[in-house]
Amino acid sequence: MSKTNGTNGTAAASRFDPNFTAAVINATGPKANPRLKQLVGGLVQHLHDFLRENEVTLDEYFAAIDMINRAGQMSNAKRNEGQLLSDILGMESLCDEITSTLAAEAADQPTATAILGPFWRKDAPAYAMGDSIVKGFPDADHTLMHGRVLDFDTGTPIANAEVDIWHTAPNGLYESQDPEQPDMNLRGRFHTGPDGRYSLYCLRPTKYPIPDDGPAGELLGLLDRHPWRPAHIHFIISAEGYKSVVTQIFDRRDEHITDDVAFAVKESLVVDFAPRQGDPKGKFELEYDFKLVSFEAGKKYGMPGAKNA
Amino acid sequence: MSKTNGTNGTAAASRFDPNFTAAVINATGPKANPRLKQLVGGLVQHLHDFLRENEVTLDEYFAAIDMINRAGQMSNAKRNEGQLLSDILGMESLCDEITSTLAAEAADQPTATAILGPFWRKDAPAYAMGDSIVKGFPDADHTLMHGRVLDFDTGTPIANAEVDIWHTAPNGLYESQDPEQPDMNLRGRFHTGPDGRYSLYCLRPTKYPIPDDGPAGELLGLLDRHPWRPAHIHFIISAEGYKSVVTQIFDRRDEHITDDVAFAVKESLVVDFAPRQGDPKGKFELEYDFKLVSFEAGKKYGMPGAKNA
């Protein structure tokens, strides 16, 4: 598919000005941050190679710019369409893989990471142990979720770790997308006790299509792709002295477990919900432990951020 | 700089999932438009290669998404920040080169093209032959510009061709950026007479820095690049039966003639303004002919758009 066989080869072999890309990259001045200079230079080289290899015309270019501008215009505190647009092209999942590989290259994996996605909100309500994040939906699949937050290297329970959880309602909508739900419904923050344990009630999650009323949905339609994310629950797990983990767990029974529109599923994050008897508050149960790497231990893995501890 | 030496080589040699990019590209369905499938596939391959080669982290990714969303949020009918952001990376100039190369591959060049830029506005006022597009600025360098619009192949004058012109005020601002100027100042549309001639008064143009209050200016600052465009005048020349030309002319005396922030200068578009004597309406004069390719003649060059004639 790609005709790239070395940067200089591509430029020299094409019918277009062989010096143009170097001129753009070399316009960068001596005071630029070296990492930023590397990133923008690499991006310009690849974008220009893409334009030349595919002979992208101005009409096609303007259509793409228009799509990007419209994504920004739709974005606000509750919606990040730019992120959604790049999620469906696998960008966030790939950066997540890169970041977690850098974090744990020399070690077995702590809890695997997964993309944040565009629906996380800051300052979800803080709940007490055993509370439910669900308001409404009496007939839905309420679930007791519990487990521990552990130090990945020592297995020691971590006290006062924060479990930040968010998921959709049975209609597939996050509360920020759904005027029928109370503000901050199905979002909450819990803190582990001295034994590292947390417990909460949530819903067994529901698959949903990503919003199709913006450029991301438009692009999926044009690519003849389905818009479905398999049923999942989002988490950010954090604790003082530990590297935070952004992750998701996925319901094994979901029909889209192998073809997530956002390319975020990893086998170690696929879970089985168990039926639960005799609990009027929940029909299902899920036990799940999260494992965090301490900044101290992270140093031996060359983990980014460890130096800031 | 780039480690790319063939798509498969890159993926196989890296520490990251070698199947990921193919999975994203292959998610495209059978009903997708083939050209769109090619473009998105090529873009995904290059963007993923860029992310892997430079080991782009989530923090860096989120910073880029934020910049793109903010560009969209600043854009409106008068401002196109997304376009500006990609102009400073040479994207529009490269697409312009590709498009004009495709248009005239087998022929000598008609009037060279240059980028539209983000400041063109639809429906500029229609003026009569010899009118001035300038309101105010009595002490500025008023200039008589005149010439012909010609058929590139036959040299025949083209009657009733439209010359759409726009440029900045001496303060470097387009009227759409400047609350002090009347609406549509320094913009106008003229039509050639039966002899193919046009004439108008405008200003000798002024160099200006592109707006630095958005993500484009921010990126220039981070790259330690200057924000200057050399003094230029924008044109769209169109006539029934002819392929329109989007172009600019540049003032040779400008100090930034060799380092345009938008990489749009071509030697054939650099002009010399002549002093003009005895005209109370203008201190300078510029004679310039525009040459258009007819759709009929364009067919022999394999020109895009020719099939629509």
Side-chain angles (χ1 to χ4, degrees):
Chain A
M1 162 163 278
S2 170
K3 286 186 271 176
T4 304
N5 60 353
T7 295
N8 295 328
T10 303
S14 87
R15 311 198 296 284
F16 309 112
D17 180 354
N19 303 314
F20 184 75
T21 299
V24 173
I25 293 172
N26 293 336
T28 302
K31 293 182 203 135
N33 173 287
R35 174 63 173 165
L36 185 81
K37 181 172 178 167
Q38 176 196 345
L39 289 179
V40 175
L43 183 62
V44 165
Q45 184 69 56
H46 272 293
L47 289 175
H48 286 200
D49 284 346
F50 160 70
L51 295 175
R52 281 185 289 253
E53 287 166 15
N54 295 283
E55 299 190 344
V56 176
T57 66
L58 278 170
D59 286 348
E60 291 166 338
Y61 168 79
F62 287 133
I65 293 291
D66 177 59
M67 187 171 264
I68 287 171
N69 275 335
R70 284 185 291 121
Q73 281 156 1
M74 288 190 88
S75 298
N76 54 40
K78 291 187 169 185
R79 177 165 188 167
N80 189 334
E81 183 76 12
Q83 189 173 338
L84 197 63
L85 191 54
S86 63
D87 280 358
I88 67 168
L89 300 180
M91 301 278 288
E92 187 178 357
S93 281
L94 180 52
C95 289
D96 178 68
E97 184 196 5
I98 290 167
T99 306
S100 60
T101 299
L102 293 175
E105 196 130 42
D108 291 338
Q109 277 284 5
T111 297
T113 55
I115 62 174
L116 178 65
F119 298 109
W120 176 72
R121 289 181 66 189
K122 264 204 278 205
D123 299 327
Y127 285 110
M129 190 79 76
D131 279 353
S132 175
I133 63 170
V134 189
K135 293 187 185 71
F137 310 112
D139 300 327
D141 290 343
H142 292 250
T143 295
L144 172 66
M145 182 170 173
H146 62 99
R148 294 172 299 169
V149 178
L150 302 172
D151 182 301
F152 169 69
D153 287 272
T154 65
T156 316
I158 304 173
N160 201 34
E162 182 173 275
V163 176
D164 187 347
I165 177 175
W166 68 105
H167 64 69
T168 70
N171 64 3
L173 296 176
Y174 292 93
E175 54 79 32
S176 47
Q177 304 173 283
D178 185 358
E180 304 294 308
Q181 289 183 58
D183 190 48
M184 290 288 183
N185 196 26
L186 304 172
R187 301 177 186 272
R189 290 178 297 130
F190 294 83
H191 293 85
T192 56
D195 54 357
R197 292 196 173 275
Y198 72 92
S199 74
L200 58 89
Y201 284 89
C202 59
L203 297 180
R204 185 167 183 171
T206 308
K207 71 172 178 177
Y208 63 84
I210 63 166
D212 68 352
D213 58 337
E218 190 180 317
L219 185 58
L220 286 179
L222 291 169
L223 291 174
D224 188 26
R225 282 176 51 183
H226 75 74
W228 291 94
R229 295 221 59 204
H232 62 277
I233 304 177
H234 289 270
F235 299 93
I236 298 176
I237 315 297
S238 49
E240 201 178 324
Y242 289 83
K243 178 80 178 156
S244 298
V245 167
V246 175
T247 191
Q248 299 173 36
I249 56 174
F250 297 89
D251 191 341
R252 190 182 307 279
R253 72 171 174 183
D254 194 285
E255 64 179 309
H256 288 294
I257 198 75
T258 58
D259 63 355
D260 179 5
V261 67
F263 306 98
V265 179
K266 297 174 187 176
E267 177 54 32
S268 68
L269 300 173
V270 176
V271 299
D272 297 284
F273 289 77
R276 179 168 168 86
Q277 312 294 341
D279 180 355
K281 292 166 67 183
K283 285 187 269 189
F284 291 94
E285 177 171 345
L286 176 66
E287 182 168 3
Y288 197 82
D289 290 344
F290 298 98
K291 292 169 189 158
L292 302 188
V293 174
S294 68
F295 287 124
E296 192 54 38
K299 286 177 186 166
K300 72 175 189 248
Y301 312 140
M303 188 170 78
K307 60 180 91 58
N308 304 324
Chain B
M1 161 162 277
S2 169
K3 287 187 273 178
T4 305
N5 61 352
T7 296
N8 294 326
T10 303
S14 88
R15 312 197 294 285
F16 310 111
D17 179 354
N19 303 314
F20 184 74
T21 299
V24 174
I25 293 172
N26 293 336
T28 301
K31 292 182 203 134
N33 172 286
R35 174 64 174 166
L36 185 81
K37 181 173 178 166
Q38 176 195 345
L39 289 179
V40 175
L43 183 62
V44 165
Q45 184 69 58
H46 272 293
L47 289 175
H48 285 201
D49 285 346
F50 160 70
L51 295 175
R52 281 185 289 253
E53 287 166 15
N54 295 283
E55 298 190 343
V56 177
T57 67
L58 278 171
D59 286 348
E60 292 166 338
Y61 169 79
F62 287 133
I65 293 291
D66 177 59
M67 187 171 264
I68 287 171
N69 275 335
R70 284 186 291 121
Q73 281 156 359
M74 288 190 87
S75 297
N76 53 40
K78 289 188 170 184
R79 178 166 188 167
N80 189 333
E81 183 76 13
Q83 190 173 336
L84 197 63
L85 191 55
S86 63
D87 280 359
I88 67 167
L89 299 180
M91 302 279 286
E92 187 178 357
S93 281
L94 180 52
C95 289
D96 178 68
E97 184 196 4
I98 291 167
T99 306
S100 61
T101 299
L102 293 175
E105 197 129 41
D108 291 337
Q109 277 284 5
T111 297
T113 56
I115 62 175
L116 179 65
F119 298 108
W120 177 71
R121 291 181 66 189
K122 263 204 278 205
D123 299 326
Y127 285 109
M129 190 79 75
D131 279 353
S132 176
I133 63 170
V134 189
K135 294 188 184 71
F137 310 113
D139 300 327
D141 290 343
H142 291 249
T143 295
L144 172 66
M145 182 171 174
H146 62 99
R148 293 172 300 167
V149 179
L150 302 172
D151 182 300
F152 168 69
D153 288 271
T154 65
T156 316
I158 304 174
N160 202 33
E162 182 174 276
V163 175
D164 188 344
I165 177 175
W166 68 104
H167 64 68
T168 70
N171 64 3
L173 296 176
Y174 292 93
E175 54 77 33
S176 48
Q177 303 173 284
D178 185 359
E180 304 293 310
Q181 288 183 61
D183 190 49
M184 290 288 184
N185 196 26
L186 304 173
R187 301 176 185 271
R189 291 178 297 128
F190 293 83
H191 293 83
T192 55
D195 54 358
R197 293 198 171 273
Y198 73 93
S199 74
L200 58 88
Y201 284 88
C202 57
L203 297 180
R204 185 168 182 169
T206 309
K207 70 172 178 176
Y208 63 84
I210 64 165
D212 67 353
D213 58 338
E218 191 180 317
L219 185 58
L220 286 179
L222 291 170
L223 291 174
D224 189 26
R225 282 176 51 184
H226 75 74
W228 291 95
R229 295 220 61 205
H232 61 280
I233 304 177
H234 290 271
F235 299 93
I236 299 176
I237 314 297
S238 49
E240 201 177 323
Y242 289 84
K243 178 80 177 157
S244 298
V245 167
V246 175
T247 191
Q248 301 173 35
I249 56 174
F250 298 88
D251 191 341
R252 189 182 308 278
R253 71 170 175 183
D254 194 286
E255 64 178 310
H256 288 294
I257 199 75
T258 58
D259 63 355
D260 179 5
V261 67
F263 306 99
V265 179
K266 297 173 186 176
E267 177 54 32
S268 70
L269 299 173
V270 177
V271 298
D272 298 283
F273 289 77
R276 178 169 169 84
Q277 312 295 341
D279 180 356
K281 292 166 67 184
K283 285 188 269 191
F284 291 94
E285 178 170 346
L286 176 66
E287 181 168 3
Y288 196 83
D289 290 345
F290 298 98
K291 292 170 189 159
L292 303 188
V293 173
S294 68
F295 287 124
E296 192 55 38
K299 285 177 186 168
K300 72 175 187 249
Y301 311 139
M303 188 171 77
K307 61 181 92 55
N308 303 324

